Amino acid sequence: MWENFNIKTFPAETVVFCDGVFQKDLSTIKNTDINEKYDLPIHIIYVGNICDENNLNVNINVENQKVFLTAKIKNEKPAFFNIFIKNAGKNSEFRGHILLENNNELNCNFIAQHDDADTTILIKTKLLAGKDSKSKLSGTAIINKNCDNINSDVSFSALADKNARIEFMPAQRISAVPNTADHSAAMFKPTDAQIEYLRQAGLSGQESIEAMKEAFINDMNLF
């Protein structure tokens, strides 16, 4: 399964979802409850095709826990994907790398909430937007009072067909002094020099597009 989705695994306690459905047999944490201290990091894996509404809630309440999310999903029908992250575990961190491939209509809403000091939530989302697709990506970082020395990053980037429509809605609600608080949205567009280089290397037009796509997603690295 991991080979099919090109998921990089590592020693961890796992929570696995495929096509939006929890996979108990593939998970070492059988009830999706991550609120106890594990010696290993926790790896949440969310892969496959989605449609309709899909929700993922991540609540971290223990100290010194590392939680990683790898999500690689796509849709051929209208879909909603909501991720709610709350980190109240001192010195705990959440790192999420999300790859979305939209071929229809896709609405994504990410909320990253810090409920204690010395917490980390970093979410990087990449979107591949197909022809005539419509994408709406919103992300809100919430830093509550007395949550000092936190690290927050909610970022979006997209590689889109020229006929795709994309709307980014980044937001921050900051009530304490963070260590870092980044928020960004960007479009990736190949340069003429890059395209010409690939053509001189003998790649066809479609092969060049695929090479650019691979370059766009190739840095999906959790570490």
Side-chain angles (χ1 to χ4, degrees):
M1 178 178 180
W2 313 133
E3 290 79 7
N4 293 337
F5 291 103
N6 193 24
I7 296 293
K8 183 178 181 181
T9 57
F10 51 91
E13 301 289 348
T14 56
V15 179
V16 182
F17 296 85
C18 186
D19 298 335
V21 179
F22 173 57
Q23 304 293 311
K24 183 176 181 180
D25 292 342
L26 297 175
S27 305
T28 61
I29 301 175
K30 300 302 183 183
N31 58 1
T32 73
D33 183 9
I34 66 172
N35 282 314
E36 62 177 272
K37 184 67 178 75
Y38 293 96
D39 293 332
L40 293 173
I42 296 169
H43 192 187
I44 302 171
I45 300 170
Y46 201 110
V47 293
N49 297 280
I50 62 170
C51 62
D52 301 323
E53 184 168 351
N54 303 263
N55 298 304
L56 178 62
N57 298 310
V58 180
N59 295 311
I60 306 172
N61 293 321
V62 296
E63 296 184 358
N64 302 301
Q65 183 66 63
K66 291 185 177 181
V67 180
F68 297 95
L69 167 66
T70 301
K72 291 188 175 183
I73 59 178
K74 60 182 178 179
N75 68 302
E76 304 290 342
K77 298 180 180 180
F80 295 84
F81 187 41
N82 304 304
I83 299 180
F84 304 97
I85 301 139
K86 290 184 180 181
N87 192 348
K90 195 175 182 65
N91 297 319
S92 290
E93 63 180 64
F94 176 94
R95 295 177 182 265
H97 281 218
I98 301 165
L99 177 63
L100 308 170
E101 184 175 346
N102 179 23
N103 296 296
N104 197 286
E105 293 187 25
L106 180 63
N107 284 270
C108 295
N109 181 38
F110 305 145
I111 296 178
Q113 181 170 320
H114 297 264
D115 284 344
D116 201 353
D118 301 293
T119 54
T120 295
I121 302 177
L122 309 175
I123 309 173
K124 295 185 179 296
T125 301
K126 290 182 177 289
L127 169 69
L128 296 171
K131 183 178 180 181
D132 298 323
S133 64
K134 298 179 181 179
S135 307
K136 183 177 180 180
L137 278 63
S138 61
T140 303
I142 302 171
I143 303 172
N144 287 321
K145 292 181 179 179
N146 302 316
C147 293
D148 299 324
N149 197 38
I150 65 92
N151 295 291
S152 174
D153 186 2
V154 180
S155 64
F156 300 116
S157 58
L159 175 63
D161 182 89
K162 63 181 180 180
N163 293 317
R165 292 176 56 188
I166 300 175
E167 181 178 359
F168 294 123
M169 298 180 64
Q172 290 179 317
R173 290 162 45 190
I174 300 177
S175 301
V177 179
N179 183 27
T180 61
D182 299 320
H183 212 53
S184 63
M187 296 293 297
F188 175 82
K189 184 179 180 180
T191 66
D192 292 339
Q194 289 172 325
I195 294 172
E196 183 61 27
Y197 176 83
L198 293 174
R199 286 177 177 172
Q200 291 181 355
L203 273 66
S204 66
Q206 185 59 40
E207 288 172 335
S208 297
I209 292 173
E210 292 301 318
M212 289 297 178
K213 185 185 295 186
E214 287 298 316
F216 176 68
I217 67 176
N218 196 41
D219 64 347
M220 296 287 289
N221 186 3
L222 285 171
F223 307 102

